[in-house]
Amino acid sequence: MMPQLNRRDVVGHLLADGGDLLVVGGLGAPSWDITSVGDRDLNFPLWGAMGGAAMLGLGLALAQPDRRVVVVTGDGEALMGLTALSTIGSAGATNLALVVLDNEHYGETGMQTTNTASGTDIAAVATACGFTDSALVTEAADLAWATDMVRTGRGPVCAVFKVSADVPPQVVPPRDGPHLVERFRSALAGD
Amino acid sequence: MEDQDNEPSWVAPTHAALVDGGVTIVGVVPDGGLQHLIRRLEPDSHFTVVRLTTEEEGVALAAGAWLGGKRAAVLMQSSGVGNCTNMLSLLKTCEIPAVLLITMRGQAGESNPWQTPMSEATGPTLKLMGVNVTSIGSPDDVAGAVSQGCARAFERGEPAQAILIEQQVVGVKLFVGDAK
């Protein structure tokens, strides 16, 4: 399938007016994408820990059951942590949404193809692991209901968006880990 | 290895130490030596116990818990520490505290040589990745080490704390034909 969606359009839709969302970004382009919407205190953009974004989101969701947690990551990062789908499906975090921006490539390392280009359907894996809902989204017309699912659907939900492999300009968040942790925890404590 | 029925003396006080240490989220990859503790934690409504698929998930889980204002512990066997190596970068780079409770294989009495390499590397790997390591050789000292670990990590600004429970505490696993 030829990916058509623009990753920044997708993330812009998902996070628009999302002031109360707790947002985790997987390393690389997804962290630039969430930052392009705004460098919020309640964003946690990863610069490493590849394969850990979804599980970090689960820990956050279990710690803050009354808040919506949205993990935005890429297909390469999600594939490295694919076992997390089994763990999350069993843990049943109703406030957790996993968003995979699937461009079928490793964008940070020279655009090698990932296994989503040749067989792996991450949304289907999520379904098979017991996620409450999951979807493979390929059309711009589906962004509205997909956003509803990500923002309000009973979790855990998984939305995989097939996006083009175009590389938008980097919008780089802070990379000082203790700073990112402190501002996130302070913002939560102050809410 | 511990039998199914008799709870070792260190288990109940270690359960209490985790409660007193403020831990509420626990990630678990089982080990025979941890079975009684897991059996206590799972029905305790004080804890959210997450059955991990692989150990590095627990490191990321603990980081997310801390971001959300909670304290987490991760239970695993020594062989699982190798799976965690790069994910421990998250704790070190971001100065995120956590308690890792690790039962040792590959030590005195081990009957499975495949356990030995990662056993030998467990303490050094953790130290190289910035985790403080305390090794416990007596059942009487486990709960105290967990209490200390919680205090050091969560209240005194120290790095993640690993408590290694040595094989002489958890016992050995025997296979058919092995002499007792």
Side-chain angles (χ1 to χ4, degrees):
Chain A
M1 158 187 344
M2 182 65 70
Q4 299 279 340
L5 296 169
N6 175 286
R7 58 189 306 135
R8 291 279 163 88
D9 288 346
V10 171
V11 175
H13 264 90
L14 296 178
L15 302 184
D17 302 320
D20 57 344
L21 298 175
L22 310 183
V23 180
V24 176
L27 85 171
S31 276
W32 323 149
D33 295 333
I34 66 168
T35 306
S36 74
V37 182
D39 179 33
R40 307 158 61 244
D41 289 350
L42 292 174
N43 279 4
F44 195 73
L46 288 158
W47 285 81
M50 186 163 175
M55 282 303 301
L56 192 142
L58 177 63
L60 182 55
L62 295 174
Q64 290 287 329
D66 297 328
R67 302 292 292 259
R68 189 71 176 185
V69 176
V70 179
V71 176
V72 180
T73 192
D75 46 308
E77 206 275 346
L79 288 168
M80 187 173 281
L82 205 61
T83 60
L85 297 182
S86 171
T87 303
I88 291 167
S90 291
T94 57
N95 57 329
L96 177 62
L98 175 63
V99 173
V100 181
L101 303 171
D102 182 2
N103 68 358
E104 304 185 350
H105 289 80
Y106 292 101
E108 296 296 310
T109 57
M111 282 292 168
Q112 302 86 354
T113 54
T114 67
N115 289 344
T116 62
S118 51
T120 303
D121 178 343
I122 294 172
V125 175
T127 299
C129 288
F131 276 55
T132 308
D133 200 2
S134 69
L136 182 64
V137 182
T138 59
E139 304 288 337
D142 293 327
L143 281 179
W145 66 257
T147 299
D148 282 345
M149 183 178 109
V150 167
R151 296 282 287 266
T152 63
R154 181 179 172 81
V157 298
C158 175
V160 178
F161 296 88
K162 286 288 183 179
V163 298
S164 83
D166 293 345
V167 179
Q170 286 186 358
V171 184
V172 175
R175 66 192 81 180
D176 176 337
H179 166 69
L180 291 168
V181 172
E182 177 56 31
R183 74 176 194 174
F184 194 103
R185 283 169 53 91
S186 294
L188 258 186
D191 278 358
Chain B
M1 195 56 66
E2 294 166 1
D3 66 51
Q4 296 272 327
D5 301 323
N6 296 321
E7 183 180 273
S9 62
W10 60 270
V11 172
T14 298
H15 175 197
L18 288 168
V19 173
D20 293 345
V23 171
T24 57
I25 295 175
V26 181
V28 174
V29 176
D31 173 56
L34 290 165
Q35 61 184 290
H36 294 92
L37 182 59
I38 295 167
R39 206 170 294 150
R40 275 184 169 272
L41 298 179
E42 282 192 327
D44 183 345
S45 60
H46 176 84
F47 294 102
T48 301
V49 177
V50 178
R51 294 191 303 269
L52 307 170
T53 313
T54 178
E55 291 85 356
E56 68 268 33
E57 293 177 0
V59 177
L61 177 85
W66 181 251
L67 266 188
K70 302 293 186 186
R71 301 177 178 187
V74 188
L75 277 50
M76 70 183 79
Q77 178 186 114
S78 50
S79 49
V81 170
N83 294 346
C84 295
T85 308
N86 182 54
M87 202 63 74
L88 289 168
S89 306
L90 180 58
L91 305 186
K92 183 170 186 180
T93 307
C94 296
E95 298 179 2
I96 292 174
V99 167
L100 313 178
L101 190 56
I102 299 160
T103 41
M104 295 302 297
R105 295 287 306 271
Q107 294 184 325
E110 177 62 59
S111 62
N112 180 355
W114 296 53
Q115 291 283 351
T116 306
M118 194 60 232
S119 172
E120 292 286 316
T122 293
T125 296
L126 290 163
K127 289 176 185 172
L128 284 168
M129 293 310 296
V131 179
N132 283 13
V133 176
T134 303
S135 192
I136 299 300
S138 163
D140 296 339
D141 297 334
V142 177
V146 170
S147 292
Q148 274 293 311
C150 290
R152 293 175 69 176
F154 300 125
E155 292 171 15
R156 299 178 194 155
E158 290 203 61
Q161 304 287 313
I163 293 103
L164 311 187
I165 306 176
E166 295 177 9
Q167 189 147 19
Q168 63 194 20
V169 176
V170 294
V172 297
K173 182 173 183 173
L174 296 175
F175 297 88
V176 171
D178 289 342
K180 290 199 176 182

